[in-house]
Amino acid sequence: MSEFAWLTRVYWEDTDAGGVVYYANYLKFLERARTEWLRARGLSQWQIANEHAVLFTVVDVEIRYRKAARLDDELRVTCVPRPEGRVTVWFDQQIRRGDELLAEAAVRVACVQAATFRPCAVPDFIAKEFR
């Protein structure tokens, strides 16, 4: 699967008192890139939840922080899905400022039924996007 990239900028509310991105906010950047990955394929979280009654929930995150992002930096956030069975998928992700690697992560996402939060198979129309 090819790499998907989403560009964003670091805003004041993303930083701590020193103008450095607060560590937990890197997870927000990663989440938004996965959402934009879906959107680039003509899918939306709302549509999937309301029309197909399934949700995606993060069940595991491995992240390594390499360098700090700072106020006003333009970031390139990437993701590459790596399916794992019928219910879960790993997303290999990176956050870069130009050529500098700032953070890298592996995020495991599970598909669940919206009504019960019980695990279920990723619908075929989404699973085909992982191939």
Side-chain angles (χ1 to χ4, degrees):
M1 169 121 275
S2 64
E3 178 181 85
F4 171 80
W6 172 69
L7 298 178
T8 190
R9 182 153 318 267
V10 175
Y11 296 101
W12 186 258
E13 65 267 15
D14 299 321
T15 64
D16 60 17
V20 174
V21 171
Y22 182 66
Y23 80 96
N25 287 335
Y26 289 85
L27 297 174
K28 292 180 183 181
F29 298 142
L30 298 172
E31 176 77 28
R32 291 173 190 158
R34 292 191 308 277
T35 296
E36 294 302 325
W37 176 86
L38 275 172
R39 193 181 316 272
R41 283 149 182 78
L43 303 170
S44 75
Q45 299 277 14
W46 184 92
Q47 172 195 21
I48 294 167
N50 288 290
E51 295 177 12
H52 303 281
V54 297
L55 304 170
F56 291 96
T57 184
V58 172
V59 295
D60 197 5
V61 174
E62 299 170 8
I63 189 165
R64 181 170 300 255
Y65 301 97
R66 301 289 187 178
K67 293 183 177 182
R70 298 181 180 277
L71 181 63
D72 289 331
D73 282 352
E74 184 176 65
L75 305 178
R76 183 174 184 269
V77 187
T78 62
C79 63
V80 177
R82 188 171 31 99
E84 177 189 62
R86 295 183 46 203
V87 175
T88 61
V89 60
W90 283 94
F91 283 89
D92 295 322
Q93 297 192 257
Q94 293 184 340
I95 300 174
R96 292 183 172 275
R97 176 182 50 227
D99 291 334
E100 292 180 283
L101 178 61
L102 305 182
E104 56 189 335
V107 181
R108 186 175 179 219
V109 177
C111 187
V112 298
Q113 298 169 359
T116 63
F117 292 97
R118 302 197 90 188
C120 64
V122 174
D124 288 338
F125 72 97
I126 299 172
K128 74 176 184 162
E129 300 296 337
F130 298 149
R131 298 183 200 112

